[in-house]
Amino acid sequence: MELLWRAISEPEPGPKWATLFQEYWPDYQRWWLREGLDARATYWEGRKALTAHMPEILPIYDQLCDLAGGGDLAARFLSFHNPPPYLSGCSQAIWQGADPMLVRNYDYAPQAFDRLVLHTAWQGRRVMGTSDGLYGLVDGINDAGLAVSLTFGGRRVVGDGFGVPLILRYVLQTCTTAEQAAAALARIPSHMSYNVTVLDAKRKFRTVLMAPDRPAQITHAAVATNHQDRVEWDAHARATATVERERFLLQRLTLHIEPQGKFINAFLKPPIYSTAFDRGFGTLYTAVYRPRRRSMALHWPKAVWPLDLDNFQEGHRMIYTPETAA
């Protein structure tokens, strides 16, 4: 299949973001309401939660609500508080060579994905990353050289908390080191279980195992797939091969040293690369973040799109994404 990707830069929330919202909102509204309006948090509940846990980004939230038209439903959505549950695959790992990098595969359903890289300077902090929900991020980097990405934690528990893409946006807006990011991830409630890996410009990294029903764990794990301490959802683990992917990446990091390019290429092949789109877990892209360079690059089997935080270039690419194994 061919998928159109876009890279868009807008320092402050403005007409570009408003246009994107109008384009994406019909699909997001259907998703947000799929369990009925009563299942979603009210505007006041969402704002109260933001005030309690992420007050620093309230001005951004208010700006975006205004740009979205000021309606109640859009404001509920933009709080990302208690969203509908959603699952993904994903693998991520820290390569700890001379120029450390965070490499990740994002495995998800293509029809439910923004295919959008956003470059912003909201509140004076420059951030670029892969969009979800039009201001949340599933991975990204900021001008301090802090990079972050997520994987689903492989648990069915749904609780009271935020959608993790907004939490990643908050981390990149407010944190500069892996330690600060880990502390924020550990205290902010997530509505589902996720593994979030952070790498900073001083080579420090952490992986935080977040969950709605138990305290978060801050670890020094260099690899994260789709389970936490142990497999708790056997069917999902089998469908996504989470244990096999974790072992494969750990072996590549510990049994032998390989150059950056070879390590990145391993993400473009099985067992890390997935074509399981019929189950909603096909690989949509591989992202490579280099904190010291403040850069990211999107990789596919037949294309690479380098992007630089300090010299970001808007554009678009039509990407061929294999639907079956080669």
Side-chain angles (χ1 to χ4, degrees), residues 51-162:
T51 302
H53 301 288
M54 295 185 279
E56 297 93 333
I57 65 170
L58 270 173
I60 296 173
Y61 170 72
D62 288 337
Q63 283 181 284
L64 297 181
C65 287
D66 288 342
L67 287 169
D72 175 73
L73 187 57
R76 294 192 195 196
F77 165 74
L78 290 169
S79 76
F80 274 71
H81 186 57
N82 292 345
Y86 47 89
L87 311 179
S88 62
C90 309
S91 309
Q92 58 201 26
I94 303 291
W95 187 86
Q96 301 174 54
D99 183 17
M101 59 185 184
L102 171 59
V103 186
R104 65 96 95 259
N105 273 15
Y106 189 68
D107 299 355
Y108 200 51
Q111 67 273 16
F113 178 56
D114 288 358
R115 301 192 302 276
L116 181 67
V117 178
L118 288 180
H119 177 269
T120 59
W122 299 345
Q123 298 180 315
R125 170 58 50 80
R126 286 181 297 137
V127 172
M128 70 174 173
T130 313
S131 168
D132 186 75
L134 297 177
Y135 82 119
L137 300 166
V138 293
D139 49 66
I141 191 168
N142 69 15
D143 54 16
L146 178 67
V148 58
S149 71
L150 65 86
T151 74
F152 175 58
R155 304 178 69 236
R156 284 181 281 192
V157 180
V158 179
D160 188 56
F162 294 95

Side-chain angles (χ1 to χ4, degrees), residues 7-28:
I8 294 177
S9 178
E10 189 173 45
E12 294 295 329
K16 289 182 181 179
W17 189 90
T19 299
L20 287 171
F21 183 83
Q22 293 304 317
E23 176 186 343
Y24 284 83
W25 177 231
D27 288 334
Y28 272 119

Side-chain angles (χ1 to χ4, degrees), residues 95 97 101 248 252-253 256-264 266:
W95 187 86
M101 59 185 184
F248 178 83
R252 300 195 79 90
L253 289 174
H256 57 279
I257 298 174
E258 58 188 9
Q260 283 191 2
K262 189 173 182 180
F263 187 72
I264 294 168

Side-chain angles (χ1 to χ4, degrees), residues 23-323:
E23 176 186 343
Y24 284 83
W25 177 231
D27 288 334
Y28 272 119
Q29 181 174 337
R30 282 191 292 271
W31 171 71
W32 194 256
L33 294 175
R34 71 183 187 185
E35 299 172 316
L37 182 59
D38 290 343
R40 304 279 67 84
T42 66
Y43 165 73
W44 175 244
E45 289 169 340
R47 186 176 184 83
K48 185 178 179 181
L50 284 170
T51 302
H53 301 288
M54 295 185 279
E56 297 93 333
I57 65 170
L58 270 173
I60 296 173
Y61 170 72
D62 288 337
Q63 283 181 284
L64 297 181
C65 287
D66 288 342
L67 287 169
D72 175 73
L73 187 57
R76 294 192 195 196
F77 165 74
L78 290 169
S79 76
F80 274 71
H81 186 57
N82 292 345
Y86 47 89
L87 311 179
S88 62
C90 309
S91 309
Q92 58 201 26
I94 303 291
W95 187 86
Q96 301 174 54
D99 183 17
M101 59 185 184
L102 171 59
V103 186
R104 65 96 95 259
N105 273 15
Y106 189 68
D107 299 355
Y108 200 51
Q111 67 273 16
F113 178 56
D114 288 358
R115 301 192 302 276
L116 181 67
V117 178
L118 288 180
H119 177 269
T120 59
W122 299 345
Q123 298 180 315
R125 170 58 50 80
R126 286 181 297 137
V127 172
M128 70 174 173
T130 313
S131 168
D132 186 75
L134 297 177
Y135 82 119
L137 300 166
V138 293
D139 49 66
I141 191 168
N142 69 15
D143 54 16
L146 178 67
V148 58
S149 71
L150 65 86
T151 74
F152 175 58
R155 304 178 69 236
R156 284 181 281 192
V157 180
V158 179
D160 188 56
F162 294 95
V164 73
L166 180 59
I167 300 175
L168 265 59
R169 164 64 73 173
Y170 173 82
V171 164
L172 291 176
Q173 291 292 144
T174 62
C175 301
T176 60
T177 68
E179 290 86 351
Q180 291 174 356
L185 291 164
R187 70 169 176 79
I188 299 172
S190 171
H191 86 301
M192 295 188 74
S193 296
Y194 291 94
N195 309 320
V196 180
T197 299
V198 295
L199 171 67
D200 67 25
K202 295 184 178 180
R203 307 178 61 93
K204 303 291 186 182
F205 65 90
R206 300 287 188 274
T207 293
V208 182
L209 311 182
M210 306 173 70
D213 59 335
R214 62 193 185 196
Q217 299 179 57
I218 299 176
T219 78
H220 288 82
V223 170
T225 54
N226 300 125
H227 59 281
Q228 298 190 330
D229 287 334
R230 57 184 176 84
V231 170
E232 298 180 56
W233 187 357
D234 290 337
H236 185 271
R238 288 192 300 270
T240 62
T242 177
V243 174
E244 293 82 357
R245 287 183 286 117
E246 180 187 51
R247 288 173 179 168
F248 178 83
L249 289 172
L250 286 171
Q251 287 174 350
R252 300 195 79 90
L253 289 174
T254 59
L255 295 184
H256 57 279
I257 298 174
E258 58 188 9
Q260 283 191 2
K262 189 173 182 180
F263 187 72
I264 294 168
N265 286 338
F267 281 77
L268 298 171
K269 302 173 184 177
I272 305 302
Y273 192 90
S274 170
T275 56
F277 288 104
D278 59 334
R279 300 194 298 271
F281 302 121
T283 298
L284 292 171
Y285 66 93
T286 299
V288 179
Y289 286 92
R290 293 181 171 89
R292 291 184 172 183
R293 304 184 193 183
R294 296 192 293 191
S295 72
M296 68 179 289
L298 297 174
H299 292 247
W300 299 273
K302 295 185 178 181
V304 180
W305 193 357
L307 295 157
D308 188 280
L309 183 67
D310 301 322
N311 186 29
F312 190 88
Q313 301 295 316
E314 291 190 316
H316 64 274
R317 301 284 177 91
M318 185 65 75
I319 298 298
Y320 169 73
T321 302
E323 294 183 76

